[in-house]
Amino acid sequence: MFELWPSQPLLGGVLIGISAALLLAFNGRIAGISGILYNLLFNPLSSPERSWRLCFIIGLIGGGYLMLPVEFELRQDYPPILLIISGLAVGIGTRIGNGCTSGHGVCGIGLMAGRSIAATAIFMASGILTVTLLRNFSG
Amino acid sequence: MQRLIIALISGLIFGAGLVISEMTNPIKVQNFLDPLGNWDPSLAFVMGGAVAVTLVASRFIMKRKTPIIADRFYMAVQNTIDARLIFGAGVFGMGWGLSGYCPGPGLINTMINPTEAMLFLPALIVGGWIGQRYSA
């Protein structure tokens, strides 16, 4: 049913914005996925601090699961080494840079934080450079 | 309890938004990051739509002294563009391009493409752990 909707990216983006606004307005928290995940995994937290993060992550995966009628072609046989290097780089980069697409790109820019605007410009440029190199100089 | 329900609902909407927008489709993400090749600009509307909402909403929200059901706003204190931010964002962008996954879609991918998630997610966690060791 979803492929009939005129602009899925726009609709999805608005939902993401609403989600971030909701968490900020009610709980005073930034909906930054990498930060929420790392705090949960690596930092000793009090029970309430742990619980809301866990709820958010469970919601995130559950919300994605509920929408799975959205269909797209499933990638197969992607080189495992690229997935592993990618995971390592995303982990190291988002931890050291204090945020990912959600924290910097959606929340931080919304708050007009110069740090987040810079981070977003840099990870977009770096992502474009990487895909361009990957697609033109590998088999 | 109320705060947990808000966190859960916020997570649900976020996850739904990521799948509906097709940010969870790594082929589409890589095409978005490929302006000189097989460019698919449609994902610009994801960030556009999200930022349009947060720009307007944040303005109203931050007029309040406190959030609706919490004692204060929990924000990053620093706002300097330093070497760590530049390095981190650069390395993150490289990782994002290599697979087409950022952390949110990487997590949801456990439901969509477990074969890839099995490799990407543990690496993401190890990477986060390594990054943590080099963080103050």
Side-chain angles (χ1 to χ4, degrees):
Chain A
M1 63 185 274
F2 292 105
E3 54 269 22
L4 296 176
W5 294 2
S7 190
Q8 281 177 218
L10 185 62
L11 174 69
V14 167
L15 285 176
I16 291 168
I18 290 172
S19 155
L22 201 66
L23 198 66
L24 185 66
F26 282 84
N27 294 9
R29 300 286 183 165
I30 299 294
I33 295 172
S34 62
I36 291 176
L37 181 69
Y38 300 147
N39 272 301
L40 200 56
L41 291 174
F42 305 130
N43 289 342
L45 299 172
S46 65
S47 174
E49 289 290 301
R50 203 170 41 234
S51 305
W52 79 262
R53 290 182 170 89
L54 201 56
C55 284
F56 182 87
I57 298 287
I58 291 169
L60 182 80
I61 296 173
Y65 180 69
L66 292 176
M67 288 301 127
L68 278 192
V70 175
E71 282 183 28
F72 50 81
E73 102 193 75
L74 201 62
R75 185 168 65 183
Q76 278 163 346
D77 302 324
Y78 198 70
I81 188 71
L82 287 185
L83 290 166
I84 292 169
I85 297 172
S86 161
L88 287 171
V90 171
I92 293 171
T94 53
R95 183 64 197 87
I96 290 181
N98 273 311
C100 59
T101 348
S102 55
H104 282 311
V106 176
C107 301
I109 291 186
L111 290 160
M112 306 231 273
R115 240 174 100 76
S116 293
I117 295 168
T120 305
I122 293 166
F123 70 65
M124 290 289 309
S126 166
I128 288 170
L129 181 69
T130 303
V131 173
T132 305
L133 292 175
L134 187 70
R135 288 193 165 165
N136 290 295
F137 298 98
S138 70
Chain B
M1 191 61 202
Q2 285 174 312
R3 286 199 285 272
L4 298 187
I5 293 168
I6 292 292
L8 184 71
I9 293 172
S10 171
L12 278 168
I13 298 173
F14 207 118
L18 283 174
V19 174
I20 290 174
S21 65
E22 287 201 65
M23 278 293 287
T24 49
N25 178 353
I27 302 169
K28 202 171 168 78
V29 171
Q30 285 184 321
N31 288 343
F32 170 62
L33 295 173
D34 193 12
L36 300 179
N38 189 16
W39 197 34
D40 174 358
S42 67
L43 288 188
F45 287 97
V46 185
M47 192 167 277
V51 167
V53 174
T54 54
L55 268 178
V56 176
S58 300
R59 194 146 297 185
F60 287 101
I61 295 166
M62 297 316 286
K63 278 188 184 147
R64 300 178 54 97
K65 283 205 177 70
T66 61
I68 299 167
I69 54 169
D71 54 343
R72 67 181 178 93
F73 290 103
Y74 296 79
M75 307 282 185
V77 197
Q78 60 181 147
N79 195 18
T80 49
I81 299 164
D82 53 14
R84 296 181 56 90
L85 183 87
I86 295 167
F87 173 78
V91 172
F92 164 46
M94 182 194 88
W96 190 30
L98 281 178
S99 69
Y101 293 123
C102 51
L107 284 166
I108 294 173
N109 202 35
T110 46
M111 302 287 171
I112 300 174
N113 193 341
T115 324
E116 291 197 349
M118 238 163 46
L119 297 169
F120 177 83
L121 266 186
L124 170 78
I125 291 168
V126 170
W129 180 78
I130 295 170
Q132 175 96 354
R133 301 190 50 159
Y134 292 94
S135 299

